[in-house]
Structure formats: structure tokens, C-alpha cells
């Protein structure tokens, strides 16, 4: 039990290291939550900071996720339940970081990083769906949601355990809910909307 609690704490703390927030602080000195869309995520970081800020955000958010999952895989002999628990709490920490007043990102990058670690083939399938859908409909956000929906389906069809499939589905639902029901918080400042472009 103590091991599980320590794992949850570790995953949450790593998840709380918000890439967009720290990239913006490092590159501009501003709070990413007060500019652009107000979201502490890669997309807003890219709009505000340019390509370098977007890539730095991805590096941090993907990196923190892979570090936690690697620790679980190497240290706990690939226990599927603990793997999913750790993945969920990395996501929870990313979306609701305590030190950022529970106003983090929306979790897409973390969810995709978890998928990449657990089921790399699902990323390829989601990418094909995203690319094909965008070419047909020119709607990135909606197409992206449908592409992510293929991930738990791919998990099921590829013979992954129910634990992994249900865990990925639960994480996807969390990501979708954060997008559908935006969190209340400080509105972005229009005076800070001029970003650093690369």
C-alpha cells in the first residue's frame, strides 16, 4: 500500500511539471495562463512562443511522462495496474497542478505520450486517422478527438489487457471533459498576447 501511495505522489509531482508554464517563464518571463487562450498547453505555447516554445513544451511534457512510466516498468516489473495508476496521476498532475492553482494543461500530450510508451502502434493508427480526417474535413480539433478515440479501440483489438484498455479510455474521457468544460480562472491578459516567435 505504501508503495502505491509513493507511486501516486511521484506521478502527480512529475505530472505537475507543466511544460508550457515553464517554457513561457524561461523564454518570456510571463505566465502562459495569462496570454493567448489562457491554457497551459503546447498549442498555446506554440502560438505565444513560436516553434521553439512549442518544442520545449513537448520535450518537457513527453519527457516527464516517459520518465515516470520507465521507473514503473524497470522498478516494478511492468505491473499493468501500477502502470495505469501512474499514467493516470501524471495526467491528473498535469491538468490540476497544486502549485499552479489547479490550472494546468488539457492533457493531450501526456495522453499521447502514455500511448506511445504502452502501445506505439496506436499512435500510428491515430496519426493516420488524424491526417486523413484533416484532409477531408479541415477540422483539426474534432478530427483530433476522433483520432484519440481510436487509441483505446486499438488497445482492445491488439490484445492488450482490460486494465490497459479501460485505463486509456478513462484518461481519454478526462482529456475530453477538460476540453468540453473549461475551467474557471483568470482571463488572459490582452496586453500580453504578443509572443516570442522563432
Amino acid at each position: 500500500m505504501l508503495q502505491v501511495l509513493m507511486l501516486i505522489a511521484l506521478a502527480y509531482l512529475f505530472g505537475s511539471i507543466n511544460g508550457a508554464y515553464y517554457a513561457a517563464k524561461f523564454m518570456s518571463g510571463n505566465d502562459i495562463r495569462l496570454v493567448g487562450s489562457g491554457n497551459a498547453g503546447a498549442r498555446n505555447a506554440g502560438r505565444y512562443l513560436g516553434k521553439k516554445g512549442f518544442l520545449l513544451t513537448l520535450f518537457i511534457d513527453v519527457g516527464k511522462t516517459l520518465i515516470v512510466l520507465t521507473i514503473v516498468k524497470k522498478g516494478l516489473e511492468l505491473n499493468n495496474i501500477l502502470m495505469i495508476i501512474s499514467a493516470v496521476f501524471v495526467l491528473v498532475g498535469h491538468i490540476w497542478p497544486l502549485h499552479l492553482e489547479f490550472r494546468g494543461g488539457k492533457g493531450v500530450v501526456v495522453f499521447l505520450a502514455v500511448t506511445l510508451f504502452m502501445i506505439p502502434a496506436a499512435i500510428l493508427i491515430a496519426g493516420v486517422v488524424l491526417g486523413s480526417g484533416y484532409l477531408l474535413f479541415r477540422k483539426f480539433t474534432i478530427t483530433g478527438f476522433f483520432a484519440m478515440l481510436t487509441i483505446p479501440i486499438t488497445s482492445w483489438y491488439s490484445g492488450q489487457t482490460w486494465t490497459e484498455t479501460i485505463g486509456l479510455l478513462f484518461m481519454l474521457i478526462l482529456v475530453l471533459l477538460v476540453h468540453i468544460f473549461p475551467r474557471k480562472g483568470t482571463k488572459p491578459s490582452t496586453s500580453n498576447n504578443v509572443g516570442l516567435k522563432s
Side-chain angles (χ1 to χ4, degrees):
M1 184 63 181
L2 178 61
Q3 184 183 52
V4 175
L5 292 176
M6 290 177 63
L7 176 62
I8 289 173
L10 176 70
Y12 179 84
L13 289 174
F14 266 82
S16 298
I17 303 171
N18 185 280
Y21 177 82
Y22 290 108
K25 280 291 185 181
F26 174 73
M27 295 180 68
S28 72
N30 292 324
D31 187 337
I32 191 68
R33 299 169 301 164
L34 302 179
V35 299
S37 68
N39 178 50
R43 196 170 180 182
N44 194 35
R47 289 171 177 163
Y48 177 60
L49 301 169
K51 186 186 299 183
K52 290 181 180 178
F54 177 77
L55 292 176
L56 179 57
T57 299
L58 286 184
F59 178 79
I60 295 172
D61 288 343
V62 172
K64 71 186 182 186
T65 306
L66 298 184
I67 287 172
V68 171
L69 297 182
T70 299
I71 290 173
V72 176
K73 181 178 180 179
K74 299 296 185 181
L76 301 174
E77 300 180 353
L78 197 56
N79 183 309
N80 289 330
I81 294 177
L82 293 181
M83 182 71 74
I84 286 297
I85 289 174
S86 63
V88 167
F89 276 92
V90 171
L91 181 64
V92 169
H94 179 80
I95 297 173
W96 297 289
L98 177 63
H99 67 294
L100 297 182
E101 301 174 334
F102 303 105
R103 291 177 55 218
K106 294 185 178 180
V108 172
V109 172
V110 171
F111 176 65
L112 294 178
V114 169
T115 304
L116 177 64
F117 186 91
M118 295 176 59
I119 317 170
I123 289 291
L124 294 176
I125 293 172
V128 170
V129 172
L130 175 62
S132 302
Y134 183 75
L135 288 175
L136 289 172
F137 304 108
R138 300 291 177 179
K139 299 288 185 180
F140 181 80
T141 301
I142 296 176
T143 304
F145 287 150
F146 276 106
M148 289 192 295
L149 185 59
T150 66
I151 289 173
I153 296 173
T154 301
S155 175
W156 181 46
Y157 273 103
S158 63
Q160 304 298 318
T161 66
W162 277 106
T163 300
E164 291 169 309
T165 301
I166 292 174
L168 288 169
L169 179 60
F170 176 74
M171 293 178 70
L172 175 59
I173 290 171
L174 277 184
V175 171
L176 293 178
L177 287 176
V178 173
H179 280 81
I180 294 170
F181 302 104
R183 289 156 295 183
K184 295 181 180 179
T186 305
K187 293 183 179 180
S189 171
T190 55
S191 62
N192 287 330
N193 280 346
V194 178
L196 304 177
K197 301 301 180 182
S198 59

